[in-house]
Amino acid sequence: MNVLVAGGTGFIGTNLCRELRDRGHDVTALAREPNPDSVPEGVETAVGDVSAYDSIVETVAAQDAVVNLVALSPLFEPPSGTSHEEVHLGGTENLVRAAEEGGVERFVQMSALDADPDAPTEYLRTKGLAEDVVTASALEWTIFRPSVVFGEGDEFVRFTKKLTTPYLTGLPGGGETPFQPIWVGDLAPMMADALEDDRHIGQYYEIGGPDVLTMERVAELAYEADGRSVTVLPIPMVLAKLGAAAVGPVPFVPFGPDQVRSLNVDNTVADNDVTAFGRTEDDLRTLEEYLGLSGSGPESSESPPSSHRSEAA
Ligand SMILES: NC(=O)c1ccc[n+]([C@@H]2O[C@H](COP(=O)([O-])OP(=O)(O)OC[C@H]3O[C@@H](n4cnc5c(N)ncnc54)[C@H](OP(=O)(O)O)[C@@H]3O)[C@@H](O)[C@H]2O)c1
């Protein structure tokens, strides 16, 4: 199958491109500035900006399937000149239109937990509107809504450390918002399965990892992996919002009220749809295992998943 991975040079995209290539597909990674050296060997690159229809139309038309991974981060304010609406909603509209006009059949949309046109943050609102564009299309679609994703090159663990300092730190809401992090090495094969198996057409999948962890716990684990400890001070969410509105909780981190709100949204799944891919939470890799704190040590994102669930979270 010819598969276009829009956003294929990013964190999840690189892992998905590798998985699809290993399964024998012809894979192209599309991005605004793709560096051919940063994608797995054998994966083609294409230049395109999803918010500019003319820049993607030809590349999309050559495909059997499209995966849309393009997004702005929920954790940082959008760079000037862009917006969540332009990239999430406008970008999805352009990809869907190009796919429909180009005769592409399969379309996998990467969304996020709690995406909804009435959600409390721009990131989630525009993700929700983008889902509506996909489901209203003539394409054979599948929508993924994962919790936070970890692995080599991830943003979440790095961001948590950026937001904290070792030994004593403050986190919005005391860092109590629950997350259910999933390893990219577990998620990418599920996305590849979704493209290959017609049973996944027309499905929404809410996907989480094996453990529910607070942001405080993620910070503790991240520092523990470096041989250091951290104590989190509770900063009430209202103060965090005020702080973020004034200067941002950490100097040099482009963090605003919308980003603080995003750290207050429960990021766990009610029913974990990993079962739709023949997996159970017990055989997914935990963050502790990935960080080398229990079970298997730190390994690359190409490593096989652990078969043991951590008890320590
Ligand atoms: N990482 C997580 O924890 C997580 C959790 C839930 C959902 N998701 C979703 O999963 C998807 C992938 O996340 P990720 O963490 O892999 O993101 P990422 O590492 O930031 O990658 C984003 C990719 O999109 C490309 N891109 C950005 N703007 C573009 C544009 N206008 N036109 C074309 N390409 C563009 C980037 O390349 P250029 O900058 O060179 O264009 C890059 O390849 C996103 O939809 C995200 O919302 C992620």
Side-chain angles (χ1 to χ4, degrees), residues 6-13 30-34 48-51 68-72 74 87-88 110-113 123 127 146-150 155-156:
T9 61
F11 161 53
I12 297 172
L30 178 134
R32 290 165 304 175
E33 294 177 20
D49 181 337
V50 295
S51 59
N68 180 16
L69 294 177
V70 176
L72 297 175
V87 175
H88 298 167
M110 183 61 121
S111 190
L113 279 182
Y123 174 84
K127 283 268 185 193
S147 183
V148 292
V149 186
F150 65 89
E155 186 175 62
F156 184 64

Side-chain angles (χ1 to χ4, degrees), residues 46-65:
V47 177
D49 181 337
V50 295
S51 59
Y53 180 78
D54 291 346
S55 74
I56 60 167
V57 63
E58 269 181 41
T59 307
V60 172
Q63 311 298 325
D64 302 306

